[in-house]
Amino acid sequence: MSLTRRLAAAVVPPEDDGGEPLSERGWRATIAGIHVITAVVWSLAVVSATVGDAIDPDRRGPALAVLGGLAVAYVVAGVPAIGRGARGRAVLYLSVLVVAFTLLGWLAPELLFLLFLAYPHVWFAVQGTLTGIAWTLLLGLGSAAGPVLSAASGRPAGDVLLETGIGIVFSLAMGMWVSRVLHQSAQRASLIEELQATRAELAAAERERGVLAERERLAQEVHDTLAQGYTSIVVLSQTAAALVPSDPDAAREKLAVIEEVARDNLAEARAVVAAFRPVALDGSTLVEALQQLAARFARETGLAVRVDTSALDDVPALRTDEEVVLLRGAQEALTNVRRHADATAVVLRLARVGGQVSVHVEDDGVGFDPDTVTVSGLEGLRGRVAQVGGEVDVASVPGSGTRVTVRVPGS
């Protein structure tokens, strides 16, 4: 770094070293206190220069002029520098401050008690350690030049230099502390801003995750209810159309089932939108809902469907989400029977083993190899069952039917 840059770094306040401490309210109160104290002490200096006997009457006018210039500089440049950290105003104010106290040291050393204000002004204006040290030394040496070199002061140079040195040391100690406090406060403010930004990001991520979770819920609900209902309607419509010429009564029976499925689908759609429990469980037990499901499946497909609850001592006490998972598991398994099994009979069994409650759907169809064939609906069911701490088992052998088991922990 060149000599010019080093000198500039010593006298020009840094841009980002320090900052407003604590809260905005606390910082404003601190700055307001500085301005009030400055006005009071400056007024005392004016009164002392005007009516006091210590100042040479011939130097009273010039001393008051210096005080007036110092007041103007404080209002124009000092206030913005101290309150808002204006770098250009800080350099201007501190330059006037050094010149003014150098002149006061020659004209009226009695007014150098104003250094009590000047030293804190330096540190609040620059808010930087190196720059504060440089301006403190300039201010101390400038104020001491007059009393040391002027014989009119009548004071030994050693005493003046000792007092100046003590003042500089005090100022440096205070200034280093102020600078450290301001710097740490700025770091805290930066950390608070980062924390607030992080909280905002986390809140946005949480909202996005909630939206995605709701989409997944709706997609799963649509697959488990509406899509299956629409599939039934399509199959039943095709069957009814084929029966119309040869067996109108059977066709009318299929149309009645179509109307029933459509009404259930409409109710399910409303329940999905409102996030209610499935329509089949609304006012019914799980056993009754499974019996209704089996009866309608038998009407839709013509297959023999048997509901077996012999392994169930009593109606299990399950949470709503566990009941929903078991019902959806049975629906998914029956849908796969309709689509793929080519079965002639189905058994739907509800059982309790230990602390677990399970629904088994077993058919006598063509079966498949679970290691080589993936059924997308069952994969989605596994994710849904896992959310309640349950599990899904699929046992099947080509030519020997399929058994789908959904288990939940129960109570």
Side-chain angles (χ1 to χ4, degrees):
M1 183 183 293
S2 66
L3 179 60
T4 303
R5 290 184 177 179
R6 290 179 180 177
L7 291 175
V11 298
V12 178
E15 292 185 10
D16 299 318
D17 188 8
E20 294 183 1
L22 304 177
S23 66
E24 182 179 357
R25 181 179 180 181
W27 176 249
R28 289 180 178 177
T30 301
I31 297 303
I34 291 175
H35 295 332
V36 170
I37 294 173
T38 298
V40 171
V41 176
W42 181 85
S43 299
L44 292 176
V46 172
V47 172
S48 176
T50 303
V51 302
D53 298 330
I55 299 177
D56 187 342
D58 295 335
R59 296 186 177 185
R60 183 170 296 162
L64 288 173
V66 172
L67 291 177
L70 191 57
V72 172
Y74 182 77
V75 173
V76 173
V79 171
I82 294 174
R84 299 193 296 271
R87 300 173 67 214
R89 300 287 183 90
V91 173
L92 174 60
Y93 175 63
L94 294 178
S95 299
V96 173
L97 200 66
V98 171
V99 172
F101 275 89
T102 301
L103 292 176
L104 288 177
W106 287 91
L107 298 172
E110 298 79 7
L111 298 179
L112 290 181
F113 68 86
L114 288 173
L115 286 170
F116 166 76
L117 287 178
Y119 285 133
H121 284 187
V122 169
W123 291 99
F124 275 91
V126 300
Q127 297 181 16
T129 303
L130 177 61
T131 314
I133 293 174
W135 282 106
T136 296
L137 293 175
L138 287 174
L139 181 61
L141 295 175
S143 63
V148 169
L149 299 178
S150 175
S153 66
R155 299 182 60 198
D159 292 347
V160 174
L161 291 177
L162 179 60
E163 292 178 2
T164 301
I166 294 174
I168 290 176
V169 170
F170 172 77
S171 174
L172 292 177
M174 179 194 66
M176 297 287 285
W177 176 78
V178 169
S179 180
R180 182 179 179 183
V181 169
L182 293 176
H183 183 69
Q184 291 179 344
S185 298
Q187 288 182 325
R188 285 195 296 269
S190 178
L191 290 175
I192 291 173
E193 290 180 359
E194 292 179 4
L195 178 60
Q196 291 175 341
T198 301
R199 285 180 176 177
E201 292 176 0
L202 289 176
E206 188 66 23
R207 287 194 297 270
E208 184 176 354
R209 188 176 70 173
V211 171
L212 292 176
E214 184 64 13
R215 288 179 179 175
E216 291 179 359
R217 183 190 74 82
L218 288 175
Q220 190 67 45
E221 289 289 346
V222 169
H223 175 271
D224 293 343
T225 58
L226 303 182
Q228 294 179 7
Y230 290 136
T231 300
S232 298
I233 290 173
V234 170
V235 173
L236 290 169
S237 298
Q238 293 172 342
T239 303
L243 291 173
V244 167
S246 59
D247 193 347
D249 292 337
R252 280 192 292 272
E253 172 64 21
K254 297 298 182 183
L255 290 176
V257 176
I258 289 175
E259 181 181 357
E260 180 182 341
V261 173
R263 290 183 182 278
D264 287 346
N265 249 28
L266 179 59
E268 288 286 1
R270 290 170 176 168
V272 167
V273 171
F276 292 153
R277 57 190 283 146
V279 174
L281 291 173
D282 191 10
S284 302
T285 66
L286 177 61
V287 174
E288 292 171 342
L290 291 174
Q291 290 172 340
Q292 294 171 7
L293 175 65
R296 194 174 74 181
F297 184 79
R299 292 177 60 194
E300 293 175 2
T301 62
L303 299 179
V305 181
R306 180 169 62 90
V307 178
D308 181 6
T309 59
S310 59
L312 191 67
D313 297 333
D314 54 6
V315 178
L318 298 173
R319 302 195 311 266
T320 299
D321 55 347
E322 293 172 338
E323 289 185 340
V324 171
V325 162
L326 292 175
L327 179 61
R328 296 306 188 211
Q331 289 175 328
E332 178 62 32
L334 291 175
T335 297
N336 289 328
V337 170
R338 183 206 307 272
R339 292 176 177 174
H340 311 295
D342 194 20
T344 60
V346 180
V347 177
L348 195 159
R349 183 177 296 108
L350 182 64
R352 181 198 294 270
V353 178
Q356 291 186 323
V357 179
S358 59
V359 166
H360 309 264
V361 177
E362 186 172 356
D363 66 72
D364 60 354
V366 297
F368 67 98
D369 185 356
D371 294 330
T372 59
V373 179
T374 300
V375 181
S376 60
L378 290 178
E379 292 302 316
L381 179 63
R382 282 192 173 94
R384 185 167 189 164
V385 173
Q387 292 179 355
V388 298
E391 57 185 358
V392 177
D393 290 335
V394 179
S396 182
V397 176
S400 300
T402 301
R403 183 180 72 252
V404 177
T405 302
V406 179
R407 299 186 183 88
V408 298
S411 301

